[in-house]
Amino acid sequence: MQTMSGPSGDPPELTIEIHQNPYLAVAETEVHAIAKVRAMGDASAIRGAPRPAAEVIIVDTSGSMLGARLVAAKRAARAAVDALRPGVDFAVIAGAADAAMVYPRDRLLARFTETTRRDAHLAISRLSAGGGTRIGRWLSLAAELFAEDDHPIRHAVLLTDGKNEHETPEDLDAALDRCAGRFVCDSRGVGADWEPAELRRVSARLLGRFGMVADPGDLAADFAEMIEQAMGKAVADVTLRVWTPHNATLRFFKQVYPALRDLAGGWAETGSNAPGPKTAEFPTGIWGVEDREYHLCVTVPPGEPDQTMLAARVSAVLPGEPPDRPRATGQVLATWTGDEALSSLHDPSVVHYRKLEELADASQRLLRSHEAGDARAAAVAHSRARRLAAETGSEEISIRLDRFADPESGILKPPGQVRRADIVGLDTHSSESMRPPPEQPSWREGGAEG
């Protein structure tokens, strides 16, 4: 176990465990493994430590927020401010067709004190709604506020209730490219009129989480919880580095817990184009005391019986530190065997997460088929998703899937008879609520079926 120090000098420990069955049949060339990365330490000490941190609260004030939603959004923004730690630098942004400073009025961050807290509350109380929605502009203003790179912990929360209708997908992507690496952003969609695909793009590029808040009355508690979690972050810009040897190829590296994230957008590969060892680097953002798990797949050349090779090495590194001194490492092995009993075993973690990835895919197929009115394809996807939800213990997804079918006949409802809230809920939860595998023996202690 190796130790890493956060900005305040607190020493959360970072470890990597590799879960896999390394045994391959002689003709097999595909290696799957789960890398379990854990940051450990005294959470209460971390929260109480004076670390340089910055927080930007972004509130949708477009025309669709008029009425009860704006009232709830103001309450949520005030709760977010109240959850800040003394000494944190912060700002509040209003987002509509353009982005505007709410507090402070100038384009800069304010130091959190009792005085600035009261002033921010007053400024938030004056918010009004009107205009369109351009999320990229809101995020770009946040990036400008984070431009002074003296805050190791840089975090934003974003609330919206509608589609990004007044900005092209290309404009949003360009804004996300400018923001990536500058800060982490967690997003919330309130109600059911927003598009999960848009917030999923924001979360994937800015390394945050997104979720649905169906009832505006729940916004304040949700925002306060997001800020509390951000205040517990201790280490910035952790990068996971995956090394593969000559003739081995990294097919993918994706986060599978706590949320499903394809990390290909942040993939940076080092090394020449010639055959030989390669290193791919994946930024993972800011960390507190928490666990995250990653699924990697490597292809290797066929081997001989009893031959073993290092298929990959996963390391955790911090910016500015020597590349040959990672904070934690884990090795992915490949051992060929003629013993079918060994090569046919499946590691429970690998099986569990592969099924969860299939569940997310089946849920997306159901949503697409349902929207297109393809009843047969929707029924096939629904049946597959229900089976996988049961096998993985994903009770919340099972409940959401049931809402697509008639409770008596089990026949899928046609488009127009499924509530928009249930569609958005399944879309969101199928990728954002990944479950860790239950405690069970590893493949070495009896394996798992799958």
Side-chain angles (χ1 to χ4, degrees), residues 47 73 79 83 105 162 245 262 323 344 352 404 429 445:
R47 282 184 169 82
R105 296 188 63 85
D262 183 356
S344 62
H352 177 79
F404 280 72
H429 283 267
E445 300 167 321

Side-chain angles (χ1 to χ4, degrees), residues 133-300:
T133 302
R134 287 191 175 98
I135 294 175
R137 293 195 181 184
W138 312 350
L139 294 170
S140 295
L141 177 53
E144 182 181 331
L145 296 174
F146 287 121
E148 295 296 330
D149 198 17
D150 55 355
H151 299 93
I153 307 300
R154 302 177 301 278
H155 181 260
V157 292
L158 181 152
L159 166 69
T160 185
D161 78 328
K163 302 177 180 67
N164 200 37
E165 292 178 331
H166 299 87
E167 186 174 56
T168 67
E170 293 75 19
D171 287 340
L172 177 58
D173 285 338
L176 292 174
D177 287 342
R178 291 192 296 270
C179 295
R182 291 195 179 187
F183 61 98
V184 169
C185 183
D186 291 319
S187 323
R188 290 294 183 269
V190 60
D193 296 326
W194 54 282
E195 286 293 339
E198 291 174 351
L199 292 193
R200 185 176 285 114
R201 285 161 66 194
V202 172
S203 295
R205 291 294 285 129
L206 303 187
L207 305 176
R209 300 286 304 275
F210 80 98
M212 175 184 182
V213 181
D215 184 350
D218 296 331
L219 274 176
D222 190 77
F223 259 51
E225 182 181 0
M226 281 194 292
I227 299 297
E228 286 284 351
Q229 291 177 352
M231 294 299 97
K233 301 302 183 182
V235 180
D237 301 326
V238 176
T239 294
L240 294 180
R241 179 179 293 150
V242 183
W243 174 92
T244 49
H246 175 69
N247 287 339
T249 302
L250 180 64
R251 286 191 55 213
F252 61 75
F253 185 80
K254 61 183 75 172
Q255 180 181 286
V256 290
Y257 176 81
L260 180 60
R261 288 285 178 272
D262 183 356
L263 301 179
W267 185 329
E269 190 172 71
T270 61
S272 67
N273 294 326
K278 293 286 191 302
T279 300
E281 295 189 345
F282 301 88
T284 62
I286 55 178
W287 283 65
V289 176
E290 61 185 296
D291 294 352
R292 301 185 198 179
E293 306 190 14
Y294 301 85
H295 179 192
L296 66 151
C297 176
V298 180
T299 55
V300 294

